[in-house]
Amino acid sequence: MSLVVHKSKGDKAADGVIYALLTLFALLALFPLYYVFIVSVTPYIEVTRHGGFVIWPDHFTFQAYKEIFSSPRIPNALKVTVFITVVGTLLNMVVTTLLAYPLSKKFVPGRNFILMALVFTMLFSGGIIPLYMMVRSLGLYDTVWALVVPGMVSTFNLLIVKTYFENLPEEVEEAAKVDGSGDISTLFRIVLPLSAPIMATIGLFYGVTHWNEYFKGIFYITDKSLMPMQVVLRSMIQSPNVSTELSLNSLVLDALPPETIKMAVVVVATLPLLIIYPFLQKYFVKGALLGSVKG
Amino acid sequence: MTEMTGVKVKSSAVPRLVKRDRWRNIYNRKWFYVMMVPGIIYYILFHYAPMAGALIAFQKYNLMKGIWGSPWAGFGNFRVIFDSPEFLQIMRNTLLISIYKIVGSMVPDVILALMLNEIRVRWFKRFVQTITYGPYFLSWVIVYGLVFSFLAPGSGLITNLVRDMGGGQMDLLTDQNFFRPLLVLTEIWKNTGFGAIIYLAAIASINQELYEAAVVDRAGRWRQLWHVTLPGIRDVFVLMLIIRVGGILDAGFDQVFIFLNARVYDVGDIVDTWVYRYGFERLEFGVAAAMGVFKSVVGLVFVLGANRIAKKVGGSGIW
Amino acid sequence: MNKKWLAIGLTAMVALTACSKDNSNSSSSPKDSENGKQPKLSLNWSVTSAFLANVTLPSADKDFVKKAIEDKFNVDLKIDYMVVGKEYHDKLNATLAGGSAPDLFIAGAAESQKYIHDGITADLSSFVTPETMPNYFKWVSKEEVDAFQLKQGEFSRAMLPFQRNTYASWYIRQDWLDKLGLKAPHTYEELTDVMTKFTKDDPDGNGKQDTYGFSAAGSGLSLPLDFPQWLNNGFVADFMIADNRFVDNRTDLKVQNVIDQVVAWNEAGIVDPDWFLNKPPAHIDKAAQGKVGMIFTPGDKTVALDSVATSLQNRTKALDPNANWQPIFPLDQPVMWKYNVPESTILISKATADKNPEKVKRSLEIVDWLTSEEGFLLTHYGQEGKHYTKDGNKITLNVDAFESDIAKAGNWLNVYAVFTPDEPNVLGLELIDSRVSEHDRAILKTVEGFPKHNALPPVSLVPPDGINIGDFRSQMSKFHAKAVLDDKSGKNWPQYREELMTKFRGRDIFTEYTKQINAALKDKKLDDFK
């Protein structure tokens, strides 16, 4: 944040405007989240009565959550998702950082060529079929690694880290080199501790991607016990195609999933992400570089 | 005179030495290359090897014969796209919507980050940060549902309010003038909180000493912003801009598809919704792949251009 | 220290990728021949249906169908299953392209054309015959299957047995009719009168004029076939043959009248103004709220049933205890809707048929068994004695056991039941399900009894190469919307239609369709498309 020792009246007014705008925006953002949560605890009848738009229900019900968590598929799916989120993010960060650091050094021969080649992959893609064939031929198909290895490096995140490393003052690394530190230990002992904000950022980005993983679960997995959370959750609210056939066996089960369950699924899928973000925010602090450069 | 001779001697007498130096240079930095190995292997396996799939755009792809055996269609698939009577319209819509979105959402992202940066009260800052990042995770189906319940012609809450107050019938969702702004506004609503994260991280990594020096120079909040904060995030902003510009023909299929209706096709139909409809009553690969290649080529041109401009305007591009 | 760590990490990565390179594709069969028994085969199927949404197969010890199949046929059957849709076909395409085609797979009729055309599928004429698969042919006739082929004389795709009867119907608030002292309408004039009174005369008695006669869900795309004005002008569903000509209902010349009549209803205020933008089931939600007097469904049979917890009937009743939805055929027309057409196919991989024809034979034996009475009972109702009792041709469901072992355990029988629709009457059986009340039985009977016709022979209509039917349909949508919402009249329709037929190649498309239908019709040929 900016360092202002003495706030003038104009500054205080500006502060007021900023607080007001942020409050307004926070309310606007809170609104859909609130809506999703409220509908998830409102009985379906009431949801219908209000035409889908509930401000405050007369009765609360946690039935939808009970239904979700009593499904035998959830514990397994949760295990899978936690595994791929933790292990996957760790791998992501290691490989991405190892790749970004050399690319942030302008003097490394071949750097521009490699960068162009990587950015090229952001634009050009061969489509899902060749990817499927690659996953199959590497023996990853129907294993948990199919959910982790493809997507190991996101070029977007890579570029962010590279840009960040480029902006670090050279003196810090020079000093380390003078002290006899090799390239790799410079990276680990000097550069990384100064990179908390960016590591938190890409850790968040990768983590969120893994948590939300849906497509890979459908495409690369057949064994239902390896399905990640999002696949299981979404299947709970898919309704049968009400075009021509509706089996009598599903007569007692809902013909269309009620709004209550749909929203409860969204809450279960999203809440962990909302909870984890505040914990990461402490890495977004200033002063990481304070005192590291002397003279 | 002396200088020129000096230069001349240097360039003609030492070519071999330079080359050997180069290899020695590489050897000295060998650990850099070793570090990059896992990442490079990944890219080769999962990006470059599968890229052959793009060839489908030039083929009459046959599942049995595969990429290497399918007959060639030259530019036939592309011709289907370019010959469509809708082509100019979808191109115009896609470009306009993309540009509106790039400008309309990058700026709020930065502004939100800057505003959060000014907050001293920590709990308030954390609260706003977390709440505003939430809507990013909601699907467009839900967002559209909310928009619909406000703006639907019959049952919309706002529509009814306006009608009751004598404002007449409001048909915003089918209004061609409102469609693109609606896309941008809902995008801002949904994505700004998440989009600000990268700028918050960038701000956090600005050297504190720069601020201290500014204070010594008696710079107030606005001058600090202009001289320290903004330059500090400039590289990240430029990076984001270049990347987004590379995706200029990607106007956001998920969102547009849900918001689209027949009355706003003329302003809202984008390349991806067109491709989706093309493949609807049949199963075919070539045209979709051709559209992908087309988007990639256009994106590449824009990225190269943007990178060059970024460097000229006095900064760094991606390379 | 750091370098060692890094080296280990790198080695691990390389090892991971290198040592697990697997070049073999689909399952190869270890053939053990046991004396007298068929050799054990490893089969790989890929199935899909609309009922696989929230479905999971149980563990092997609870899966009595798997056990029965393995015992009877000596196979190791791997089934990959997913609800039907784009994701299923994307994955299927990838497995087919990647050389790991399943031995037997189900695909949509439209998609199957590409598979057949590309040569991925095998010729079925020696495998699927009334002699080798007698049970299968109880569900579909040889003539139908022949007409279903892409090229006459070939046999590359088997029809997946499908539910013949449609449950399309309009439903109306009988209690509102009673309250306002109205008879159920049977002509367009009567219907319009009833719709007007539903809107203006406060049928729910709450003192406010907040109800509409009719609502529909256009999804923002076009004039949905929900509107009775279509049928009123002789248009039954989306395609039909009239006056010995192929008709694409939505772009026919007479749509002009449909538009005019719909506009008249809109102007009278008797249609929910959200009808155009409503995405299903928004109109049903409105009806459940008690705001709408009549809706249409192309196939949801649960609308008026009280044994389904979330049926429209129950939802409306929860808010208004007098609510009484009844199916109705509100017009004086010979036919209300069309019978179902086959939408899915059974295909066999050519690679398997060439290399391991015995796998094909065994797979089809299993399918034939699944379509037999024994297989049907097992895959729809469970185990005899435990989940149901059989008395002659009457099957009485043991609801508690069925629900705990099957319905609530992932509803997993649906996976094996993909090959047969839920129509026990085809095999001469009758299901007695105590969950279905008398009231419900009567309603289902009424809806089943509404007159329907077979619109077209079971051909798949393929737009000609190089013509983008997507552009045609989206332009059609634009014109529908323009006529109804902007012009507020059908007067421009003839010129819109002409533009569709020429600039957007409609005439070319439908002439081609006529040709395709003619190829399937053995006797009478259709006249040229106009």
Side-chain angles (χ1 to χ4, degrees):
Chain A
M1 62 196 98
S2 48
L3 282 179
V4 183
V5 178
H6 186 72
K7 283 210 171 148
S8 70
K9 255 207 275 189
D11 276 342
K12 292 215 180 87
D15 265 354
V17 170
I18 290 178
Y19 274 89
L21 283 178
L22 284 179
T23 310
L24 178 65
F25 193 60
L27 286 176
L28 280 177
L30 184 59
F31 168 65
L33 301 174
Y34 172 79
Y35 163 78
V36 167
F37 174 70
I38 280 292
V39 173
S40 76
V41 291
T42 307
Y44 195 32
I45 302 174
E46 268 199 70
V47 176
T48 306
R49 176 149 47 92
H50 288 118
F53 199 76
V54 185
I55 313 274
W56 188 261
D58 294 333
H59 307 277
F60 282 82
T61 169
F62 288 92
Q63 183 62 29
Y65 291 99
K66 275 196 220 128
E67 272 193 50
I68 294 177
F69 286 106
S70 63
S71 157
R73 295 186 286 159
I74 289 285
N76 235 348
L78 192 58
K79 262 188 256 164
V80 171
T81 296
V82 168
F83 177 81
I84 66 178
T85 303
V86 172
V87 173
T89 306
L90 234 52
L91 282 176
N92 292 142
M93 289 173 66
V94 168
V95 180
T96 306
T97 309
L98 287 178
L99 189 54
Y101 183 61
L103 291 175
S104 67
K105 305 284 170 225
K106 288 199 167 69
F107 52 75
V108 170
R111 168 221 193 228
N112 275 359
F113 171 75
I114 296 180
L115 272 176
M116 280 201 246
L118 297 184
V119 171
F120 190 79
T121 69
M122 275 180 95
L123 299 165
F124 285 84
S125 148
I128 52 180
I129 293 188
L131 264 180
Y132 175 88
M133 303 204 288
M134 179 56 73
V135 166
R136 264 220 115 108
S137 61
L138 289 177
L140 300 175
Y141 184 79
D142 221 12
T143 68
V144 79
W145 298 106
L147 302 171
V148 169
V149 174
M152 178 69 76
V153 180
S154 143
T155 313
F156 176 79
N157 291 349
L158 176 79
L159 290 174
I160 294 176
V161 177
K162 163 192 132 355
T163 304
Y164 181 85
F165 283 163
E166 274 173 352
N167 283 339
L168 288 177
E170 298 170 347
E171 302 85 53
V172 185
E173 292 177 69
E174 302 283 310
K177 207 139 295 155
V178 164
D179 283 349
S181 170
D183 291 327
I184 293 188
S185 62
T186 310
L187 170 64
F188 282 102
R189 277 198 230 136
I190 310 291
V191 176
L192 279 187
L194 294 178
S195 311
I198 208 67
M199 288 298 135
T201 304
I202 66 163
L204 180 68
F205 287 168
Y206 278 127
V208 159
T209 307
H210 285 304
W211 179 266
N212 285 338
E213 192 59 73
Y214 176 76
F215 174 76
K216 290 205 191 71
I218 296 275
F219 212 55
Y220 299 135
I221 304 279
T222 308
D223 182 353
K224 302 288 176 183
S225 70
L226 285 176
M227 290 289 182
M229 276 282 273
Q230 302 293 336
V231 175
V232 171
L233 287 174
R234 217 179 284 198
S235 73
M236 287 183 181
I237 59 177
Q238 272 169 341
S239 49
N241 212 348
V242 193
S243 58
T244 52
E245 309 188 34
L246 207 63
S247 162
L248 202 70
N249 282 344
S250 65
L251 205 59
V252 177
L253 296 175
D254 307 334
L256 294 167
E259 286 307 297
T260 314
I261 291 205
K262 268 200 206 143
M263 294 300 157
V265 161
V266 174
V267 172
V268 171
T270 312
L271 199 60
L273 297 172
L274 283 176
I275 294 181
I276 203 156
Y277 184 36
F279 290 100
L280 287 176
Q281 283 167 11
K282 68 169 179 267
Y283 292 107
F284 287 61
V285 289
K286 333 283 163 143
L289 288 176
L290 189 66
S292 57
V293 183
K294 297 187 166 81
Chain B
M1 253 311 264
T2 342
E3 261 187 90
M4 265 180 66
T5 342
V7 166
K8 226 168 138 188
V9 166
K10 213 173 173 182
S11 63
S12 65
V14 196
R16 282 233 185 106
L17 263 176
V18 172
K19 205 169 172 193
R20 213 191 305 152
D21 267 345
R22 207 162 185 273
W23 282 108
R24 170 161 304 159
N25 213 4
I26 292 184
Y27 180 75
N28 281 340
R29 317 254 70 156
K30 63 178 179 294
W31 289 111
F32 280 143
Y33 293 99
V34 170
M35 276 197 260
M36 294 201 279
V37 164
I40 301 280
I41 292 183
Y42 163 76
Y43 271 94
I44 294 178
L45 287 178
F46 288 95
H47 286 277
Y48 274 97
M51 219 178 266
L55 288 174
I56 295 179
F58 301 94
Q59 297 178 331
K60 273 188 163 43
Y61 183 63
N62 181 312
L63 278 168
M64 187 67 163
K65 303 192 181 139
I67 297 181
W68 308 113
S70 289
W72 294 99
F75 282 94
N77 292 322
F78 292 89
R79 208 161 294 142
V80 172
I81 300 175
F82 299 142
D83 280 348
S84 164
E86 315 281 347
F87 179 66
L88 284 174
Q89 190 179 85
I90 59 176
M91 278 300 287
R92 192 192 65 214
N93 291 342
T94 311
L95 285 170
L96 282 178
I97 293 178
S98 261
I99 293 175
Y100 292 167
K101 278 193 183 181
I102 292 177
V103 174
S105 67
M106 282 186 76
V107 171
D109 289 353
V110 172
I111 293 181
L112 178 63
L114 292 175
M115 287 205 285
L116 282 170
N117 187 40
E118 297 293 318
I119 300 295
R120 279 341 131 73
V121 182
R122 208 158 61 146
W123 68 263
F124 183 74
K125 180 176 180 184
R126 288 225 180 152
F127 177 73
V128 174
Q129 245 183 294
T130 311
I131 289 290
T132 55
Y133 129 115
Y136 173 77
F137 301 104
L138 301 179
S139 74
W140 281 112
V141 177
I142 294 182
V143 174
Y144 179 77
L146 282 172
V147 171
F148 187 81
S149 41
F150 280 108
L151 299 179
S155 60
L157 292 165
I158 296 190
T159 317
N160 280 317
L161 200 64
V162 168
R163 199 185 304 140
D164 291 341
M165 298 204 307
Q169 172 69 22
M170 208 173 72
D171 267 329
L172 282 182
L173 293 175
T174 49
D175 185 343
Q176 291 197 348
N177 294 323
F178 188 62
F179 186 71
R180 291 188 197 136
L182 180 64
L183 289 180
V184 177
L185 286 173
T186 46
E187 167 116 353
I188 294 178
W189 181 27
K190 187 172 177 305
N191 291 340
T192 301
F194 192 82
I197 294 179
I198 180 85
Y199 299 110
L200 287 169
I203 293 176
S205 32
I206 296 178
N207 193 346
Q208 267 311 79
E209 292 179 355
L210 293 174
Y211 285 112
E212 291 168 4
V215 168
V216 166
D217 280 350
R218 290 200 287 159
R221 156 190 278 162
W222 303 107
R223 281 186 57 202
Q224 285 182 26
L225 179 72
W226 186 258
H227 288 286
V228 182
T229 313
L230 286 184
I233 63 173
R234 196 213 30 213
D235 281 346
V236 171
F237 184 84
V238 168
L239 172 68
M240 298 293 295
L241 187 60
I242 296 179
I243 292 179
R244 289 202 67 158
V245 144
I248 195 139
L249 286 187
D250 250 323
F253 175 77
D254 289 334
Q255 179 198 26
V256 177
F257 183 72
I258 291 181
F259 278 75
L260 207 54
N261 60 71
R263 289 188 85 184
V264 295
Y265 268 163
D266 287 343
V267 291
D269 206 12
I270 58 174
V271 296
D272 288 330
T273 46
W274 182 89
V275 169
Y276 175 84
R277 282 199 310 274
Y278 180 83
F280 200 58
E281 283 180 36
R282 48 155 50 118
L283 178 60
E284 80 93 59
F285 299 90
V287 170
M291 185 58 90
V293 169
F294 177 63
K295 283 164 67 178
S296 305
V297 169
V298 172
L300 182 65
V301 168
F302 273 81
V303 164
L304 290 175
N307 198 62
R308 182 166 306 171
I309 293 179
K311 292 213 300 218
K312 273 225 179 83
V313 175
S316 55
I318 296 184
W319 56 82
Chain C
M1 243 271 281
N2 281 333
K3 290 184 186 159
K4 211 201 281 183
W5 184 89
L6 191 66
I8 294 176
L10 290 175
T11 323
M13 272 241 81
V14 175
L16 178 73
T17 57
C19 76
S20 44
K21 264 201 196 318
D22 181 22
N23 284 323
S24 62
N25 41 26
S26 64
S27 46
S28 45
S29 54
K31 287 191 190 168
D32 333 320
S33 277
E34 293 179 23
N35 300 337
K37 250 183 147 183
Q38 298 170 308
K40 187 167 179 101
L41 292 181
S42 191
L43 300 179
N44 194 4
W45 290 6
S46 178
V47 303
T48 180
S49 85
F51 307 108
L52 294 179
N54 198 1
V55 163
T56 336
L57 285 179
S59 51
D61 52 321
K62 296 213 177 66
D63 188 342
F64 46 78
V65 179
K66 185 172 165 69
K67 200 159 178 315
I69 293 179
E70 295 190 338
D71 289 345
K72 256 178 127 58
F73 297 96
N74 200 14
V75 294
D76 175 23
L77 178 60
K78 279 211 192 59
I79 305 190
D80 193 8
Y81 55 95
M82 204 194 292
V83 69
V84 71
K86 183 169 189 298
E87 282 161 2
Y88 174 76
H89 285 107
D90 279 343
K91 192 167 184 194
L92 186 60
N93 294 341
T95 57
L96 294 174
S100 36
D103 303 316
L104 177 147
F105 55 100
I106 296 181
E111 290 83 356
S112 70
Q113 293 159 32
K114 174 115 181 103
Y115 301 143
I116 295 170
H117 176 268
D118 280 359
I120 293 233
T121 58
D123 178 17
L124 299 174
S125 16
S126 59
F127 294 114
V128 181
T129 69
E131 292 77 38
T132 58
M133 296 184 67
N135 292 304
Y136 170 73
F137 281 99
K138 290 190 191 144
W139 297 87
V140 297
S141 76
K142 187 97 182 41
E143 293 70 40
E144 285 182 297
V145 176
D146 285 343
F148 189 57
Q149 299 312 309
L150 295 182
K151 274 214 236 49
Q152 292 310 305
E154 278 182 1
F155 189 2
S156 44
R157 58 183 195 173
M159 229 184 244
L160 185 70
F162 60 100
Q163 185 171 296
R164 305 260 175 185
N165 212 337
T166 30
Y167 288 87
S169 180
W170 279 276
Y171 286 86
I172 197 168
R173 287 287 294 265
Q174 182 65 41
D175 55 308
W176 286 8
L177 288 173
D178 297 337
K179 182 147 198 247
L180 299 180
L182 300 166
K183 303 195 293 97
H186 287 292
T187 69
Y188 185 69
E189 292 68 35
E190 288 173 13
L191 180 59
T192 308
D193 184 56
V194 166
M195 292 291 103
T196 313
K197 296 215 165 77
F198 274 2
T199 311
K200 303 226 157 70
D201 294 351
D202 191 27
D204 59 349
N206 65 351
K208 290 188 264 182
Q209 193 179 322
D210 58 356
T211 53
Y212 293 103
F214 184 70
S215 183
S219 300
L221 287 182
S222 62
L223 194 56
L225 294 171
D226 297 23
F227 278 94
Q229 283 78 356
W230 290 99
L231 189 58
N232 193 34
N233 283 281
F235 292 116
V236 179
D238 50 0
F239 299 120
M240 61 187 196
I241 295 177
D243 293 331
N244 205 34
R245 248 184 253 280
F246 171 77
V247 179
D248 178 57
N249 295 2
R250 289 168 292 170
T251 55
D252 188 77
L253 207 50
K254 289 204 282 231
V255 170
Q256 179 174 9
N257 299 338
V258 178
I259 295 176
D260 282 330
Q261 290 176 353
V262 170
V263 169
W265 272 25
N266 278 344
E267 306 266 278
I270 55 188
V271 183
D272 166 22
D274 289 340
W275 71 263
F276 177 63
L277 287 176
N278 273 342
K279 287 190 212 254
H283 59 314
I284 306 286
D285 289 340
K286 284 252 180 66
Q289 233 186 321
K291 297 261 179 282
V292 175
M294 186 171 92
I295 49 102
F296 175 79
T297 171
D300 180 2
K301 62 165 116 159
T302 67
V303 167
L305 303 183
D306 55 29
S307 36
V308 177
T310 51
S311 69
L312 176 59
Q313 171 68 17
N314 280 332
R315 292 174 63 193
T316 323
K317 206 156 171 203
L319 294 175
D320 178 354
N322 294 324
N324 181 9
W325 286 97
Q326 290 291 329
I328 181 176
F329 185 8
L331 294 177
D332 180 20
Q333 289 278 333
V335 169
M336 176 199 259
W337 196 252
K338 62 176 189 184
Y339 282 119
N340 276 336
V341 291
E343 289 184 341
S344 302
T345 59
I346 304 177
L347 302 169
I348 297 280
S349 136
K350 186 164 192 301
T352 310
D354 290 344
K355 280 189 267 172
N356 308 83
E358 65 283 356
K359 282 195 183 181
V360 175
K361 280 209 204 83
R362 193 75 60 83
S363 294
L364 292 173
E365 280 171 29
I366 300 177
V367 172
D368 190 56
W369 176 75
L370 287 170
T371 50
S372 71
E373 179 176 305
E374 188 190 353
F376 176 82
L377 288 172
L378 192 66
T379 58
H380 282 253
Y381 308 125
Q383 290 167 313
E384 178 165 7
K386 195 165 179 207
H387 304 114
Y388 69 90
T389 53
K390 185 167 186 284
D391 179 18
N393 71 336
K394 288 207 193 328
I395 313 289
T396 309
L397 200 63
N398 179 349
V399 176
D400 294 327
F402 182 82
E403 292 211 345
S404 72
D405 288 351
I406 292 157
K408 300 228 164 97
N411 213 10
W412 55 274
L413 282 184
N414 285 1
V415 175
Y416 298 105
V418 297
F419 294 98
T420 45
D422 219 355
E423 292 188 317
N425 47 297
V426 172
L427 295 178
L429 301 169
E430 189 189 323
L431 176 71
I432 304 187
D433 184 345
S434 58
R435 299 172 299 182
V436 184
S437 62
E438 268 310 314
H439 163 268
D440 289 354
R441 254 188 280 272
I443 293 200
L444 289 173
K445 200 143 175 277
T446 310
V447 178
E448 280 162 17
F450 286 143
K452 306 183 186 85
H453 70 183
N454 277 313
L456 300 172
V459 280
S460 285
L461 298 174
V462 192
D465 243 344
I467 294 192
N468 182 357
I469 195 172
D471 275 347
F472 173 80
R473 289 293 177 202
S474 61
Q475 192 61 32
M476 171 190 89
S477 300
K478 279 200 235 181
F479 282 144
H480 280 177
K482 194 147 186 271
V484 176
L485 299 172
D486 288 331
D487 302 341
K488 298 216 187 346
S489 147
K491 65 180 191 292
N492 292 329
W493 176 254
Q495 85 206 46
Y496 292 158
R497 193 227 180 210
E498 196 50 35
E499 195 177 325
L500 281 174
M501 289 298 138
T502 48
K503 187 169 172 212
F504 291 89
R505 317 283 300 277
R507 203 158 271 135
D508 295 335
I509 297 176
F510 300 129
T511 309
E512 177 65 22
Y513 282 5
T514 307
K515 242 203 305 190
Q516 291 168 3
I517 298 176
N518 277 338
L521 291 177
K522 298 268 163 67
D523 33 11
K524 215 158 57 118
K525 296 289 188 212
L526 297 178
D527 299 331
D528 291 333
F529 180 77
K530 249 217 305 241

